Amino acid sequence: VPHAPHTPPLPFSDLDEITDAVRRAGGRLSAPRRRVLEALFAADGPVSADALAHGGAGGGTLELSSVYRSLEHLEALGVVAHVHLGHGPGLYALTGGSAREHLVCERCDRVTSVDPGELDGVRDLVRERFGHHARFSHFPIVGLCAACAAAERDAPG
Amino acid sequence: VPHAPHTPPLPFSDLDEITDAVRRAGGRLSAPRRRVLEALFAADGPVSADALAHGGAGGGTLELSSVYRSLEHLEALGVVAHVHLGHGPGLYALTGGSAREHLVCERCDRVTSVDPGELDGVRDLVRERFGHHARFSHFPIVGLCAACAAAERDAPG
DNA sequence: TTTTTTGCAAAACCTTTGCAGTTGG
DNA sequence: CCAACTGCAAAGGTTTTGCAAAAAA
């Protein structure tokens, strides 16, 4: 599998940096953890635990519970984050040091991931009006993407 | 249980109107449907299927699968809508003709429900910047409420 | 009467957990 | 060596489904 088009920026940009971080935190770099990390590097966009268990590079499959425990560990280290895109399983991705934020189309499931700064205007407006500090990294903005909204306008349903 | 402080506005303002709507659509007003509706009227705010099954007015409990099927039916009629407030089960409420939109605190779980118009400014900004038509009725804006954000600022964690 | 809906039981789905055995450091 | 981790199996929580029996109209 080729490298992702939009591999995370800056910190933790390669496997070595992450493995160092894992060990510095007193953790061990076991086979499942390494393979989860490899699969996350290979993925382009957030993926489910199940996809990580089955879709890994080498043909073999990982034990699902180990995948979940690996992800939990990596998430505690700040290396990984997960997002809930509507229904369906949680999806995991490398943070690259900064948690991205997401917009998802509830009709076609397309995900738009943006750097945090890009939603600051929206965040400011929400805070100004409701006092609420919105975070769109763990739970995204859900609605219709431009294409589906146009389709909806032409053929309402 | 006393009536909710913010019972839904206008259409479907009482049980009779809803039961008429159910029958007009060719549906039957069975005992579970009636009891689900009663429990929804009695609730103040969105409630889980499980709460509807157990917490209903008269002591008895409803079959959970019947509750889900009743809610599905009422939702198809536009009388009920459900929202996913973070983790945990989906929560159901009467629409009163207009689906409210929600902001939820990911720390204290407090829900702020607003009429759709109140989020139009936010919606416009999102559409302008991303072409995305946000809807916060089915999946809310998640983040920290004012109180929790203040607590966070004083004692970061 | 007849079509819809229920009750129950079972399964599906995602995720977590207990525990004995394995392994990385 | 020994704490950390895995594999397996089982359970937990939410929602869906199949089907025969019940009930609304």
Side-chain angles (χ1 to χ4, degrees), chain A residues 59-141:
Chain A
T61 100
L62 292 173
E63 180 64 24
L64 240 195
S65 59
S66 297
V67 171
Y68 276 109
R69 284 194 272 223
S70 292
L71 289 169
E72 183 182 36
H73 186 92
L74 295 168
E75 202 153 5
L77 293 177
V79 165
V80 161
H82 77 271
V83 58
H84 297 276
L85 301 180
H87 304 123
L91 302 182
Y92 297 79
L94 297 171
T95 59
S98 80
R100 304 195 88 198
E101 296 192 288
H102 313 273
L103 300 91
V104 59
C105 177
E106 61 190 343
R107 181 182 292 270
C108 72
D109 294 332
R110 196 146 63 94
V111 180
T112 305
S113 298
V114 305
D115 286 315
E118 299 191 53
L119 276 163
D120 281 349
V122 173
R123 203 179 342 271
D124 288 347
L125 186 55
V126 170
R127 191 177 42 213
E128 185 184 296
R129 304 242 173 122
F130 303 98
H132 185 97
H133 295 44
R135 238 188 77 205
F136 303 111
S137 50
H138 190 192
F139 292 99
I141 292 176

Coordinates of all heavy atoms in Angstrom, one line a residue, chain A residues 59-141:
Chain A
G59 N -0.7 -10.1 4.9 CA -2.0 -10.8 4.8 C -2.7 -11.1 6.1 O -3.9 -11.0 6.2
G60 N -1.9 -11.5 7.2 CA -2.5 -11.9 8.4 C -3.5 -11.0 9.0 O -3.5 -9.8 8.7
T61 N -4.3 -11.5 10.0 CA -5.3 -10.7 10.7 C -4.9 -10.6 12.1 O -4.3 -11.5 12.7 CB -6.7 -11.2 10.5 OG1 -7.1 -11.9 11.6 CG2 -6.9 -12.1 9.3
L62 N -5.2 -9.5 12.7 CA -4.9 -9.2 14.1 C -6.2 -9.6 15.0 O -7.3 -9.4 14.5 CB -4.5 -7.8 14.4 CG -3.2 -7.4 13.7 CD1 -3.0 -5.9 13.9 CD2 -2.1 -8.1 14.4
E63 N -5.9 -9.9 16.2 CA -7.0 -10.1 17.2 C -7.6 -8.7 17.4 O -7.0 -7.8 17.8 CB -6.4 -10.7 18.4 CG -7.4 -10.9 19.5 CD -8.4 -12.0 19.1 OE1 -8.1 -12.8 18.2 OE2 -9.6 -11.9 19.6
L64 N -9.0 -8.7 17.3 CA -9.7 -7.4 17.4 C -9.4 -6.8 18.8 O -9.3 -5.5 18.9 CB -11.2 -7.6 17.2 CG -11.9 -6.8 16.1 CD1 -13.3 -6.8 16.3 CD2 -11.4 -5.4 16.0
S65 N -9.5 -7.6 19.8 CA -9.3 -7.0 21.2 C -8.0 -6.4 21.3 O -7.8 -5.3 22.0 CB -9.6 -8.0 22.2 OG -8.8 -9.1 22.1
S66 N -7.0 -7.0 20.7 CA -5.6 -6.4 20.8 C -5.6 -5.1 20.0 O -4.9 -4.2 20.4 CB -4.6 -7.4 20.2 OG -4.6 -8.6 21.0
V67 N -6.3 -5.0 18.9 CA -6.3 -3.8 18.1 C -6.9 -2.7 19.0 O -6.4 -1.6 19.1 CB -7.1 -4.0 16.8 CG1 -7.3 -2.6 16.2 CG2 -6.4 -4.9 15.9
Y68 N -8.0 -3.0 19.6 CA -8.7 -2.0 20.5 C -7.7 -1.6 21.6 O -7.6 -0.4 22.0 CB -10.0 -2.5 21.1 CG -11.1 -2.3 20.1 CD1 -11.7 -3.4 19.5 CD2 -11.7 -1.1 19.9 CE1 -12.8 -3.3 18.7 CE2 -12.7 -0.9 19.0 CZ -13.3 -2.0 18.4 OH -14.4 -1.8 17.6
R69 N -7.0 -2.6 22.2 CA -6.1 -2.2 23.3 C -4.9 -1.4 22.8 O -4.5 -0.5 23.5 CB -5.7 -3.4 24.1 CG -6.9 -3.9 25.0 CD -6.5 -4.9 26.0 NE -6.5 -6.3 25.5 CZ -7.0 -7.3 26.2 NH1 -7.5 -7.2 27.4 NH2 -7.0 -8.5 25.7
S70 N -4.5 -1.7 21.7 CA -3.3 -1.0 21.1 C -3.8 0.5 20.8 O -3.1 1.4 21.2 CB -2.9 -1.6 19.8 OG -2.3 -2.8 20.0
L71 N -5.0 0.6 20.3 CA -5.5 2.0 19.9 C -5.7 2.8 21.2 O -5.4 4.0 21.3 CB -6.8 1.8 19.1 CG -6.6 1.3 17.7 CD1 -8.0 1.0 17.1 CD2 -5.9 2.3 16.9
E72 N -6.2 2.1 22.2 CA -6.4 2.8 23.5 C -5.1 3.3 24.0 O -5.0 4.5 24.5 CB -7.0 1.8 24.5 CG -7.4 2.3 25.8 CD -7.9 1.2 26.7 OE1 -7.4 0.1 26.6 OE2 -8.8 1.5 27.5
H73 N -4.1 2.5 24.0 CA -2.7 2.9 24.4 C -2.2 4.0 23.6 O -1.7 5.0 24.2 CB -1.8 1.7 24.4 CG -0.4 1.9 25.0 ND1 -0.2 1.6 26.3 CD2 0.7 2.4 24.4 CE1 1.1 1.9 26.5 NE2 1.6 2.4 25.4
L74 N -2.2 3.9 22.3 CA -1.7 5.0 21.5 C -2.5 6.3 21.6 O -1.9 7.3 21.5 CB -1.7 4.5 20.0 CG -0.8 3.3 19.7 CD1 -1.1 2.7 18.3 CD2 0.7 3.7 19.8
E75 N -3.8 6.1 21.9 CA -4.6 7.3 22.1 C -4.2 8.0 23.4 O -4.1 9.3 23.4 CB -6.0 6.9 22.1 CG -6.9 8.1 21.8 CD -8.3 7.6 21.2 OE1 -8.5 6.4 21.1 OE2 -9.1 8.5 20.8
A76 N -3.9 7.2 24.4 CA -3.5 7.8 25.7 C -2.1 8.6 25.5 O -1.9 9.6 26.2 CB -3.3 6.8 26.7
L77 N -1.3 8.1 24.5 CA -0.1 8.8 24.3 C -0.2 10.0 23.4 O 0.7 10.8 23.2 CB 0.9 7.8 23.6 CG 1.4 6.6 24.4 CD1 2.3 5.8 23.6 CD2 2.2 7.1 25.7
G78 N -1.4 10.2 22.8 CA -1.6 11.3 22.0 C -1.2 11.1 20.5 O -1.2 12.0 19.7
V79 N -0.9 9.9 20.2 CA -0.4 9.5 18.9 C -1.6 9.3 17.9 O -1.5 9.4 16.7 CB 0.5 8.3 19.0 CG1 0.8 7.7 17.6 CG2 1.8 8.7 19.7
V80 N -2.7 8.8 18.5 CA -3.8 8.4 17.8 C -5.0 9.1 18.3 O -5.1 9.5 19.5 CB -4.0 6.9 17.8 CG1 -5.4 6.4 17.5 CG2 -3.0 6.1 17.0
A81 N -6.0 9.4 17.5 CA -7.3 9.9 17.9 C -8.4 9.2 17.2 O -8.2 8.7 16.0 CB -7.4 11.4 17.7
H82 N -9.6 9.1 17.8 CA -10.7 8.5 17.1 C -11.9 9.5 17.0 O -12.0 10.4 17.8 CB -11.2 7.2 17.7 CG -12.0 7.4 18.9 ND1 -11.4 7.5 20.2 CD2 -13.3 7.5 19.1 CE1 -12.4 7.6 21.1 NE2 -13.6 7.6 20.5
V83 N -12.7 9.3 15.9 CA -13.8 10.1 15.6 C -15.0 9.3 15.4 O -14.9 8.2 14.9 CB -13.4 11.0 14.4 CG1 -13.1 10.2 13.2 CG2 -14.6 12.0 14.1
H84 N -16.2 9.8 15.7 CA -17.4 9.1 15.5 C -18.2 9.8 14.3 O -18.8 10.8 14.5 CB -18.3 9.1 16.7 CG -17.7 8.4 17.9 ND1 -17.8 7.0 18.0 CD2 -16.9 8.8 18.9 CE1 -17.1 6.6 19.1 NE2 -16.6 7.7 19.7
L85 N -18.1 9.2 13.2 CA -18.8 9.8 12.0 C -20.2 9.3 11.8 O -20.4 8.4 11.0 CB -17.9 9.5 10.8 CG -16.5 10.0 10.8 CD1 -15.8 9.7 9.5 CD2 -16.4 11.5 11.1
G86 N -21.1 9.8 12.6 CA -22.5 9.3 12.4 C -22.6 7.9 13.0 O -22.0 7.6 14.0
H87 N -23.4 7.1 12.4 CA -23.6 5.7 12.9 C -22.4 4.9 12.5 O -21.4 5.5 11.9 CB -24.9 5.1 12.3 CG -26.1 5.9 12.5 ND1 -26.9 6.4 11.5 CD2 -26.7 6.3 13.7 CE1 -27.9 7.1 12.1 NE2 -27.8 7.1 13.4
G88 N -22.3 3.7 12.9 CA -21.1 2.9 12.5 C -20.0 3.0 13.5 O -20.1 3.8 14.5
P89 N -19.0 2.2 13.3 CA -17.9 2.1 14.3 C -17.1 3.4 14.4 O -17.1 4.2 13.5 CB -17.1 1.0 13.8 CG -17.3 1.0 12.3 CD -18.8 1.4 12.2
G90 N -16.4 3.6 15.5 CA -15.5 4.7 15.6 C -14.3 4.5 14.7 O -14.0 3.3 14.3
L91 N -13.8 5.6 14.2 CA -12.7 5.5 13.2 C -11.4 6.2 13.8 O -11.5 7.2 14.4 CB -13.1 6.2 11.9 CG -14.4 5.7 11.3 CD1 -14.7 6.5 10.0 CD2 -14.3 4.2 11.0
Y92 N -10.3 5.5 13.5 CA -9.0 5.9 14.1 C -8.1 6.5 13.1 O -8.0 6.0 12.0 CB -8.4 4.7 14.8 CG -9.3 4.2 16.0 CD1 -10.4 3.4 15.7 CD2 -9.0 4.6 17.3 CE1 -11.2 3.0 16.8 CE2 -9.8 4.1 18.3 CZ -10.9 3.3 18.1 OH -11.7 2.9 19.1
A93 N -7.3 7.4 13.6 CA -6.2 8.0 12.7 C -5.1 8.5 13.5 O -5.2 8.8 14.7 CB -6.8 9.1 11.8
L94 N -3.9 8.6 12.9 CA -2.8 9.2 13.5 C -3.0 10.7 13.7 O -3.7 11.3 12.8 CB -1.5 9.0 12.7 CG -1.1 7.6 12.5 CD1 0.1 7.5 11.4 CD2 -0.6 7.0 13.8
T95 N -2.6 11.3 14.8 CA -2.8 12.7 15.0 C -1.8 13.6 14.3 O -2.0 14.7 13.9 CB -2.8 13.1 16.4 OG1 -1.5 12.8 17.0 CG2 -3.9 12.3 17.2
G96 N -0.6 13.0 14.2 CA 0.5 13.9 13.7 C 0.7 15.1 14.6 O 1.2 16.1 14.1
G97 N 0.3 15.0 15.8 CA 0.5 16.0 16.8 C -0.7 17.0 16.9 O -0.8 17.6 17.9
S98 N -1.5 17.1 15.9 CA -2.7 17.9 16.0 C -3.9 17.2 15.6 O -3.9 16.6 14.5 CB -2.5 19.2 15.2 OG -2.8 18.9 13.8
A99 N -4.9 17.2 16.4 CA -6.1 16.5 16.1 C -6.9 17.3 15.0 O -7.3 18.4 15.2 CB -7.0 16.3 17.3
R100 N -7.2 16.6 13.9 CA -7.9 17.3 12.9 C -9.4 17.3 13.3 O -9.9 16.6 14.1 CB -7.8 16.6 11.6 CG -6.3 16.4 11.2 CD -6.1 16.0 9.7 NE -6.0 17.2 8.9 CZ -6.2 17.2 7.6 NH1 -6.5 16.0 7.0 NH2 -6.2 18.3 6.9
E101 N -10.1 18.2 12.6 CA -11.6 18.3 12.8 C -12.3 17.9 11.5 O -11.7 17.9 10.4 CB -12.0 19.7 13.3 CG -11.3 20.0 14.6 CD -11.9 21.2 15.3 OE1 -11.6 22.3 14.8 OE2 -12.6 21.1 16.3
H102 N -13.5 17.5 11.7 CA -14.2 16.8 10.5 C -15.6 17.3 10.3 O -16.3 17.7 11.2 CB -14.3 15.3 10.8 CG -13.0 14.7 11.3 ND1 -12.0 14.2 10.4 CD2 -12.5 14.5 12.5 CE1 -11.0 13.8 11.1 NE2 -11.3 13.9 12.4
L103 N -16.0 17.3 9.0 CA -17.3 17.5 8.5 C -17.7 16.2 7.8 O -16.9 15.7 7.0 CB -17.5 18.7 7.6 CG -17.1 20.0 8.2 CD1 -15.6 20.3 7.9 CD2 -17.9 21.1 7.6
V104 N -18.9 15.7 8.0 CA -19.3 14.5 7.3 C -20.7 14.6 6.7 O -21.6 15.3 7.3 CB -19.2 13.3 8.3 CG1 -20.1 13.5 9.5 CG2 -19.6 12.0 7.6
C105 N -20.9 14.0 5.5 CA -22.1 14.1 4.9 C -23.0 12.9 5.3 O -22.5 11.7 5.2 CB -22.0 14.0 3.3 SG -23.5 14.0 2.5
E106 N -24.2 13.2 5.8 CA -25.0 12.1 6.3 C -25.7 11.3 5.2 O -26.3 10.3 5.5 CB -26.0 12.6 7.3 CG -27.0 13.6 6.7 CD -27.9 14.2 7.8 OE1 -27.9 13.7 9.0 OE2 -28.5 15.3 7.6
R107 N -25.6 11.8 4.0 CA -26.1 11.0 2.9 C -25.1 10.1 2.2 O -25.3 8.9 2.1 CB -26.8 11.9 1.8 CG -27.4 11.2 0.7 CD -28.0 12.2 -0.3 NE -29.1 12.9 0.2 CZ -30.4 12.5 0.1 NH1 -30.7 11.3 -0.5 NH2 -31.4 13.2 0.6
C108 N -24.0 10.7 1.8 CA -23.0 9.9 1.1 C -21.8 9.5 1.9 O -20.9 8.8 1.5 CB -22.5 10.6 -0.2 SG -21.4 12.1 0.2
D109 N -21.8 9.9 3.2 CA -20.7 9.6 4.1 C -19.3 10.2 3.8 O -18.3 9.8 4.4 CB -20.5 8.0 4.2 CG -21.7 7.4 4.8 OD1 -22.4 8.0 5.6 OD2 -22.0 6.2 4.5
R110 N -19.3 11.1 2.9 CA -18.0 11.7 2.6 C -17.5 12.5 3.7 O -18.2 13.2 4.4 CB -18.1 12.5 1.3 CG -16.7 12.9 0.7 CD -16.8 13.0 -0.8 NE -17.7 14.1 -1.2 CZ -17.3 15.3 -1.5 NH1 -16.0 15.6 -1.4 NH2 -18.1 16.2 -1.8
V111 N -16.2 12.4 4.0 CA -15.6 13.1 5.2 C -14.7 14.2 4.7 O -13.9 13.9 3.8 CB -14.8 12.1 6.0 CG1 -14.1 12.9 7.2 CG2 -15.6 11.0 6.5
T112 N -14.8 15.4 5.2 CA -13.9 16.5 4.9 C -13.1 16.7 6.2 O -13.7 17.0 7.2 CB -14.6 17.7 4.5 OG1 -15.5 17.4 3.4 CG2 -13.7 18.8 4.2
S113 N -11.8 16.5 6.2 CA -11.0 16.7 7.4 C -10.2 18.0 7.2 O -9.6 18.2 6.2 CB -10.1 15.5 7.6 OG -10.8 14.4 7.9
V114 N -10.2 18.8 8.3 CA -9.5 20.1 8.2 C -8.7 20.3 9.4 O -8.9 19.7 10.5 CB -10.6 21.3 8.1 CG1 -11.5 21.0 6.9 CG2 -11.3 21.4 9.3
D115 N -7.7 21.2 9.3 CA -6.9 21.5 10.4 C -7.7 22.4 11.3 O -8.6 23.2 10.9 CB -5.6 22.3 10.0 CG -4.6 21.3 9.3 OD1 -4.4 20.2 9.9 OD2 -4.1 21.6 8.3
P116 N -7.4 22.3 12.7 CA -8.3 23.0 13.7 C -8.5 24.4 13.4 O -9.6 24.9 13.5 CB -7.5 22.8 15.0 CG -6.6 21.6 14.7 CD -6.4 21.5 13.3
G117 N -7.5 25.1 13.0 CA -7.7 26.6 12.7 C -8.8 26.9 11.8 O -9.4 27.9 11.9
E118 N -9.0 26.0 10.8 CA -10.0 26.3 9.8 C -11.4 26.4 10.3 O -12.3 27.0 9.7 CB -10.0 25.3 8.7 CG -8.6 25.2 8.0 CD -8.7 24.4 6.7 OE1 -9.5 24.6 5.9 OE2 -7.9 23.4 6.6
L119 N -11.7 25.9 11.5 CA -13.0 26.0 12.1 C -13.1 27.0 13.2 O -14.1 27.0 13.9 CB -13.4 24.6 12.6 CG -14.0 23.7 11.4 CD1 -14.1 22.2 11.8 CD2 -15.5 24.2 11.1
D120 N -12.0 27.7 13.4 CA -12.0 28.7 14.5 C -13.1 29.7 14.4 O -13.7 30.2 15.4 CB -10.7 29.4 14.6 CG -9.6 28.5 15.3 OD1 -10.1 27.4 15.9 OD2 -8.4 28.8 15.3
G121 N -13.4 30.1 13.2 CA -14.5 31.1 13.0 C -15.8 30.6 13.4 O -16.5 31.2 14.2
V122 N -16.1 29.3 13.1 CA -17.3 28.7 13.5 C -17.3 28.5 15.0 O -18.3 28.8 15.7 CB -17.4 27.3 12.8 CG1 -18.6 26.5 13.4 CG2 -17.6 27.5 11.3
R123 N -16.2 28.1 15.5 CA -16.1 27.9 17.0 C -16.3 29.2 17.7 O -17.0 29.3 18.7 CB -14.7 27.4 17.3 CG -14.6 26.6 18.6 CD -13.2 26.1 19.0 NE -12.4 26.0 17.8 CZ -12.3 24.9 17.0 NH1 -13.0 23.8 17.3 NH2 -11.5 24.9 16.0
D124 N -15.7 30.3 17.2 CA -15.9 31.6 17.9 C -17.4 32.0 17.9 O -17.9 32.5 18.9 CB -15.1 32.7 17.1 CG -13.6 32.5 17.4 OD1 -13.3 31.7 18.3 OD2 -12.8 33.1 16.7
L125 N -18.0 31.8 16.7 CA -19.4 32.2 16.6 C -20.3 31.4 17.6 O -21.2 31.9 18.3 CB -19.9 32.0 15.2 CG -21.4 32.5 14.9 CD1 -21.5 33.9 15.2 CD2 -21.7 32.3 13.4
V126 N -20.0 30.1 17.7 CA -20.8 29.3 18.7 C -20.5 29.7 20.1 O -21.5 29.8 20.9 CB -20.4 27.8 18.5 CG1 -21.0 27.0 19.6 CG2 -20.9 27.2 17.1
R127 N -19.3 30.1 20.4 CA -19.0 30.5 21.8 C -19.6 31.8 22.1 O -20.2 32.0 23.2 CB -17.5 30.5 22.0 CG -17.1 30.7 23.4 CD -15.6 30.7 23.6 NE -15.0 31.5 22.6 CZ -13.8 31.3 22.1 NH1 -13.1 30.3 22.5 NH2 -13.4 32.1 21.1
E128 N -19.6 32.7 21.1 CA -20.2 34.0 21.3 C -21.7 33.9 21.6 O -22.2 34.6 22.5 CB -19.9 34.8 20.0 CG -20.3 36.2 20.0 CD -20.0 36.7 18.5 OE1 -18.8 36.7 18.1 OE2 -21.0 37.0 17.8
R129 N -22.4 33.0 20.9 CA -23.8 32.9 21.0 C -24.3 32.0 22.1 O -25.3 32.2 22.7 CB -24.4 32.4 19.7 CG -24.0 33.2 18.5 CD -25.2 33.8 17.8 NE -24.8 34.7 16.7 CZ -25.2 34.5 15.4 NH1 -26.0 33.5 15.1 NH2 -24.8 35.4 14.5
F130 N -23.5 31.0 22.4 CA -24.0 30.0 23.4 C -23.1 29.7 24.5 O -23.4 28.9 25.4 CB -24.3 28.6 22.6 CG -25.3 28.8 21.5 CD1 -24.8 28.9 20.2 CD2 -26.6 28.8 21.7 CE1 -25.7 29.1 19.1 CE2 -27.5 29.0 20.7 CZ -27.1 29.1 19.4
G131 N -21.9 30.3 24.5 CA -20.9 30.0 25.6 C -20.3 28.7 25.5 O -19.6 28.3 26.4
H132 N -20.6 28.0 24.5 CA -20.2 26.6 24.3 C -18.9 26.5 23.5 O -18.8 27.2 22.5 CB -21.4 25.8 23.6 CG -21.2 24.4 23.4 ND1 -21.8 23.5 24.3 CD2 -20.6 23.6 22.5 CE1 -21.5 22.2 23.9 NE2 -20.7 22.3 22.8
H133 N -17.9 25.7 24.0 CA -16.7 25.6 23.3 C -16.7 24.4 22.4 O -16.3 23.3 22.9 CB -15.5 25.5 24.3 CG -15.4 26.8 25.1 ND1 -16.4 27.5 25.6 CD2 -14.3 27.5 25.4 CE1 -16.0 28.5 26.3 NE2 -14.7 28.6 26.1
A134 N -17.0 24.5 21.2 CA -17.2 23.4 20.3 C -15.9 22.7 19.9 O -14.8 23.4 19.7 CB -17.9 23.8 19.0
R135 N -15.9 21.4 19.7 CA -14.7 20.6 19.3 C -15.2 19.7 18.3 O -16.1 18.8 18.6 CB -14.2 19.8 20.5 CG -12.8 20.1 20.9 CD -12.4 19.1 22.0 NE -12.1 17.8 21.4 CZ -12.2 16.6 22.1 NH1 -12.7 16.6 23.3 NH2 -12.0 15.5 21.5
F136 N -14.8 19.7 17.1 CA -15.3 18.9 16.0 C -14.3 17.8 15.7 O -14.4 17.2 14.6 CB -15.6 19.8 14.8 CG -16.6 20.9 15.1 CD1 -16.2 22.2 15.0 CD2 -17.9 20.6 15.4 CE1 -17.0 23.2 15.3 CE2 -18.8 21.6 15.7 CZ -18.4 22.9 15.6
S137 N -13.4 17.4 16.6 CA -12.5 16.4 16.3 C -13.0 15.0 16.7 O -12.8 14.0 16.0 CB -11.2 16.6 17.0 OG -11.4 17.0 18.4
H138 N -13.7 15.0 17.8 CA -14.2 13.7 18.3 C -15.6 13.4 17.7 O -15.9 12.3 17.4 CB -14.3 13.7 19.8 CG -14.5 12.4 20.5 ND1 -14.9 12.3 21.8 CD2 -14.6 11.2 20.0 CE1 -15.1 11.0 22.1 NE2 -14.9 10.3 21.0
F139 N -16.4 14.4 17.7 CA -17.7 14.3 17.0 C -17.8 15.5 16.0 O -17.6 16.6 16.3 CB -18.9 14.5 18.0 CG -19.0 13.3 19.0 CD1 -18.4 13.4 20.2 CD2 -19.6 12.2 18.6 CE1 -18.5 12.4 21.1 CE2 -19.7 11.1 19.4 CZ -19.2 11.2 20.7
P140 N -18.0 15.1 14.7 CA -17.9 16.1 13.6 C -19.1 16.9 13.4 O -20.1 16.7 14.1 CB -17.7 15.1 12.4 CG -18.6 14.0 12.7 CD -18.4 13.8 14.2
I141 N -19.0 17.8 12.5 CA -20.2 18.5 12.0 C -20.9 17.6 11.0 O -20.3 17.2 10.0 CB -19.8 19.8 11.3 CG1 -19.2 20.8 12.3 CG2 -21.0 20.5 10.6 CD1 -18.7 22.1 11.8

